[in-house]
Amino acid sequence: MTAAAEARVGPPLWLLAELTYRCPLQCPYCSNPLDYASQQQELSTEQWLDVLRQGRAMGAAQLGFSGGEPLVRQDLPELIAGARDLGYYTNLITSGIGLTEAKVQAFAEAGLDHIQVSFQASDPELNNAVAGSRKAFEQKLAMARAVKAAGYPMVLNFVIHRHNIHQMNDILALCENLDADYVELATCQYYGWAFKNREGLMPSKAQLVQAEHEVNCYRDDLRSRDRAMKVIFVTPDYYEERPKACMNGWGNLFLTVAPDGTALPCHSARLLPIDFPNVQTKSLNDIWYHSPGFNHYRGDSWMPEPCRSCDEKDKDFGGCRCQAYLLTGNADNADPVCSKSPHNDRILAARTAADHATAGLDDLIYRNARNSKLLYRG
């Protein structure tokens, strides 16, 4: 890449540190790779700290600690402290499993800025069934309260799918009861394990319309009672007519580092047939500006029709490369979510299938090492 092109790209502003693929839960919509069980290698504490130093030197300001479950890393307080010393704004993305009041306090003392706790449902039975843990719900409740008591903003996340989408009012009432500041109702996006389970997870159009109506009514009620809880409802791509501006453009703002050090333009990009570089052999600067992987879909010269001549290509950047690959077998294709895509019929077929789906929770393939090994072997 020339110096002029490098200047146009700009630095990565958001760094996601996927510390580990290990996780005590078995959520069937996990975004981790299906073959995660075969990927045992993790960067050491010092290697992660070096990644954080390099990212900060390049201009990264936001840092997310995720996984898997980042709490299984015993060096998390050290990584948080290192990030604070470097000047990052830090966010811990956690299921709450493995968290304790003592750890919340330790993270606060280390300088952690933000904690997001995820739930699977508004009631113990469904939450624990989806999570694959009989004690998950009560632990999440306790830790959400501990996070709030420690002075953090209360940020809760629910992945919404056909088995819990009927719970909108109950979910929001639970969040309000926990004195949440922000609630993200993240309708399932179909990558990783979620794509494998799409037929059993994707809500029907009627379910989605009803859920959005209930969320909007609840928002109105919050305003009428002068409650400040902010509710974000993320519509699934499969029910849009135009694709999202995925990651605000390939290699534009976001840089993900996987547990083994593989650098990615998004957390799902590992599934693509692209040779992505590793921080153990290349500097972040070289990876971001000069690696073929990060330059593969920058700009618009790679675009085929209809994207190449589309007057919206500067808004959506052709959509999601991972989605194009999963649905068409070729990541160069226009995102099938777009109604202009020649492959839009794949999305229409998925919507029709969702309207007639009968799969229950027992029909889902849960994210665990045994299933990962079976799928990878198969």
Side-chain angles (χ1 to χ4, degrees):
M1 181 181 289
T2 65
E6 183 172 322
R8 287 197 300 273
V9 170
L13 299 180
W14 219 107
L15 176 62
L16 181 67
E18 289 189 312
L19 300 180
T20 180
Y21 286 143
R22 291 175 288 159
C23 183
L25 300 186
Q26 303 183 54
C27 304
Y29 47 72
C30 181
S31 62
N32 286 168
L34 292 173
D35 66 344
Y36 81 90
S38 68
Q39 302 177 29
Q40 302 291 327
Q41 186 179 5
E42 294 179 7
L43 297 181
S44 67
T45 305
E46 186 48 49
Q47 286 174 316
W48 272 118
L49 289 172
D50 185 50
V51 168
L52 301 188
R53 284 191 287 267
Q54 291 184 58
R56 192 74 184 99
M58 292 173 66
Q62 299 263 359
L63 172 64
F65 291 114
S66 74
E69 176 48 69
L71 291 171
V72 304
R73 290 281 302 218
Q74 299 304 303
D75 58 355
L76 188 52
E78 185 175 350
L79 296 177
I80 292 170
R84 166 47 64 92
D85 289 343
L86 289 166
Y88 281 103
Y89 181 90
T90 52
N91 180 23
L92 174 63
I93 304 164
T94 177
S95 68
I97 307 302
L99 194 59
T100 64
E101 291 184 14
K103 286 183 179 180
V104 172
Q105 184 59 39
F107 296 158
E109 292 173 357
L112 184 65
D113 294 297
H114 184 282
I115 301 178
Q116 175 185 294
V117 179
S118 66
F119 280 77
Q120 280 70 36
S122 60
D123 67 280
E125 183 177 359
L126 181 56
N127 186 99
N128 295 348
V130 174
S133 171
R134 289 178 295 177
K135 299 180 180 179
F137 188 74
E138 293 304 321
Q139 168 70 8
K140 289 171 180 289
L141 285 181
M143 289 306 100
R145 293 184 177 113
V147 167
K148 184 73 174 184
Y152 286 104
M154 171 63 70
V155 183
L156 302 179
N157 172 274
F158 290 76
V159 175
I160 305 301
H161 46 82
R162 70 179 300 112
H163 302 291
N164 68 0
I165 198 167
H166 63 284
Q167 294 187 334
M168 292 297 97
N169 286 315
D170 291 337
I171 285 172
L172 291 169
L174 171 65
C175 295
E176 195 173 356
N177 180 262
L178 291 170
D179 199 18
D181 297 289
Y182 299 92
V183 179
E184 182 180 24
L185 304 170
T187 310
C188 202
Q189 305 293 335
Y190 300 102
Y191 309 96
W193 292 79
F195 186 76
K196 192 70 178 177
N197 286 305
R198 190 185 70 190
E199 289 185 13
L201 292 173
M202 187 169 165
S204 68
K205 180 64 176 293
Q207 286 179 308
L208 181 65
V209 169
Q210 179 63 25
E212 287 188 294
H213 173 71
E214 292 174 358
V215 169
N216 287 331
C217 288
Y218 207 102
R219 286 185 180 128
D220 291 340
D221 183 56
L222 287 170
R223 283 191 288 268
S224 72
R225 292 184 284 115
D226 200 27
R227 296 299 300 265
M229 186 172 82
K230 184 174 182 180
V231 179
I232 301 168
F233 187 89
V234 182
T235 304
D237 292 356
Y238 280 47
Y239 285 107
E240 299 285 3
E241 295 303 314
R242 290 289 182 272
K244 63 188 176 187
C246 191
M247 308 308 290
N248 204 47
W250 179 279
N252 185 31
L253 294 177
F254 295 90
L255 193 161
T256 295
V257 179
D260 66 352
T262 301
L264 303 163
C266 79
H267 63 277
S268 296
R270 196 165 199 156
L271 63 86
L272 298 174
I274 294 175
D275 185 20
F276 289 107
N278 194 292
V279 298
Q280 298 186 65
T281 57
K282 293 184 180 294
S283 71
L284 271 194
N285 190 85
D286 188 42
I287 287 170
W288 180 256
Y289 290 109
H290 305 298
S291 69
F294 273 77
N295 282 299
H296 203 94
Y297 292 113
R298 279 183 172 141
D300 57 20
S301 62
W302 61 269
M303 291 182 179
E305 294 294 347
C307 295
R308 181 181 290 273
S309 58
C310 180
D311 59 5
E312 297 179 63
K313 66 182 179 182
D314 293 330
K315 298 177 182 177
D316 58 38
F317 312 109
C320 177
R321 297 303 88 220
C322 298
Q323 202 151 254
Y325 179 72
L326 285 169
L327 290 170
T328 74
N330 185 346
D332 292 358
N333 287 330
D335 188 334
V337 163
C338 185
S339 62
K340 298 180 181 181
S341 168
H343 303 285
N344 184 242
D345 62 305
R346 317 288 170 89
I347 295 295
L348 300 180
R351 293 179 192 172
T352 299
D355 284 336
H356 299 91
T358 58
L361 289 175
D362 292 339
D363 298 307
L364 301 176
I365 300 173
Y366 286 80
R367 184 251 199 224
N368 56 50
R370 178 180 178 277
N371 284 336
S372 176
K373 292 173 182 176
L374 287 172
L375 290 169
Y376 186 57
R377 195 161 53 230

